């Protein structure tokens, strides 16, 4: 069995000012770096040793992984980038204000297409296809492509780790991608929303199947924060 610690990257400049980041990129802020240092120290305090590390190829996940490995005494382990576990691509809305996309454009599209939803968050499939339809750049992915590359990416990472005999692995990915993956892996579970930067979603992989544990766990950061405060 492979134990998976799936981390959302540290807080970035765009996260801080409320812009849709997608495939565009900004670095971690000072507060974002601090949060991931806390996370790494929390892993260290709990004595967690990783056998392998994976992240998307986005700068913010690579930067996050560096802080995790350095502060958890896990430097030097095999580390691989996988572009399939990138964030959703918002196409021409990448870098735009969250409110413009999620509170403005998408609700209008839902109304125009008759996709009325009483719940706060429409299904991922509806959101993805709406973004694809309004993206003037032609970069956004339709749901079939988006969901396929996310599930294939995480599954191949888990299978590779299993084949290599890894017991514990750490993966750094993105908020919407992690939420989508959890829902794809276990459709009967609620789709996670609003995962904090530096939160950990626990999974295991065995016999070709994912099991979801605690989602959005902030306890490692809290442990690390307490350790820093004592210093």
């Amino acid at each position: 069995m492979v134990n998976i610690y799936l981390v959302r990257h540290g807080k970035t400049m765009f996260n801080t000012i409320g812009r849709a980041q997608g495939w565009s990129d900004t670095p971690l802020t000072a507060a974002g770096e601090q949060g991931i240092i806390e996370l790494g120290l929390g892993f260290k305090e709990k004595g967690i040793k990783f056998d392998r590390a994976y992240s998307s190829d986005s700068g913010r996940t690579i930067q996050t992984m560096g802080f995790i490995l350095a502060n958890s005494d896990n430097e030097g382990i095999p580390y691989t980038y996988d572009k399939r576990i990138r964030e959703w691509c918002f196409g021409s809305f990448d870098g735009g204000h969250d409110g413009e996309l999620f509170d403005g454009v998408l609700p209008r599209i839902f109304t125009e297409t008759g996709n009325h939803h009483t719940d706060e968050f429409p299904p991922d499939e509806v959101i993805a296809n709406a973004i694809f339809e309004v993206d003037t750049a032609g970069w956004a992915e339709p749901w079939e492509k988006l969901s396929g590359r996310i599930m294939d990416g995480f599954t191949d990472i888990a299978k590779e780790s299993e084949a290599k005999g890894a017991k514990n692995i750490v993966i750094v990915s993105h908020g919407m991608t992690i939420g989508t993956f959890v829902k794809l892996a276990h459709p009967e579970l609620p789709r996670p929303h609003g995962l904090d930067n530096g939160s950990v979603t626990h999974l295991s992989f065995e016999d070709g199947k994912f099991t979801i544990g605690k989602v959005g766990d902030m306890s490692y950061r809290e442990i690390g924060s307490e350790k820093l405060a004592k210093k």
Side-chain angles (χ1 to χ4, degrees):
M1 184 177 71
V2 181
N3 294 304
I4 302 169
Y5 297 78
L6 177 53
V7 176
R8 185 187 176 199
H9 63 79
K11 196 167 190 177
T12 66
M13 293 171 64
F14 272 9
N15 293 153
T16 304
I17 61 176
R19 288 183 177 270
Q21 202 150 214
W23 283 12
S24 56
D25 213 7
T26 57
L28 274 57
T29 61
E33 293 179 1
Q34 174 84 359
I36 302 304
I37 290 171
E38 293 170 358
L39 176 61
L41 292 173
F43 284 144
K44 179 180 178 180
E45 192 71 10
K46 297 294 285 186
I48 298 173
K49 289 296 182 182
F50 298 117
D51 301 301
R52 305 183 70 83
Y54 299 86
S55 77
S56 79
D57 59 349
S58 299
R60 59 194 184 273
T61 58
I62 295 170
Q63 188 181 7
T64 296
M65 185 64 81
F67 282 111
I68 289 173
L69 298 181
N71 288 280
S72 64
D73 286 348
N74 278 292
E75 289 181 297
I77 64 173
Y79 173 26
T80 303
Y81 312 146
D82 194 322
K83 67 180 182 181
R84 293 175 297 178
I85 62 170
R86 283 179 184 175
E87 184 58 288
W88 287 35
C89 180
F90 302 118
S92 54
F93 292 96
D94 258 32
H97 288 287
D98 288 337
E100 177 188 353
L101 177 60
F102 294 104
D103 299 328
V105 174
L106 291 183
R108 290 199 300 272
I109 295 299
F110 299 149
T111 300
E112 291 169 4
T113 58
N115 284 312
H116 300 291
H117 296 276
T118 56
D119 53 342
E120 184 179 0
F121 298 102
D124 282 358
E125 180 176 1
V126 172
I127 295 174
N129 286 333
I131 293 171
F132 177 74
E133 289 297 326
V134 299
D135 172 30
T136 57
W139 298 327
E141 303 160 289
W143 172 247
E144 185 176 356
K145 183 177 180 180
L146 171 66
S147 59
R149 60 101 166 162
I150 289 173
M151 199 64 197
D152 287 348
F154 283 111
T155 300
D156 286 351
I157 285 171
K159 286 181 176 179
E160 178 182 83
S161 298
E162 186 178 54
K164 297 289 186 180
K167 299 300 182 185
N168 296 315
I169 67 170
V170 58
I171 305 175
V172 180
S173 187
H174 307 263
M176 289 187 70
T177 295
I178 293 170
T180 297
F181 169 57
V182 168
K183 186 65 176 176
L184 289 170
H186 280 271
E188 75 281 3
L189 295 179
R191 196 269 197 222
H193 291 280
L195 293 171
D196 288 321
N197 296 100
S199 64
V200 179
T201 293
H202 297 263
L203 306 100
S204 61
F205 182 80
E206 189 173 22
D207 297 328
K209 294 182 179 179
F210 290 100
T211 299
I212 311 296
K214 188 171 183 179
V215 176
D217 184 5
M218 293 292 283
S219 64
Y220 299 101
R221 277 195 57 181
E222 291 163 2
I223 292 168
S225 178
E226 290 173 3
K227 190 170 180 65
L228 282 177
K230 290 178 181 178
K231 289 184 179 181

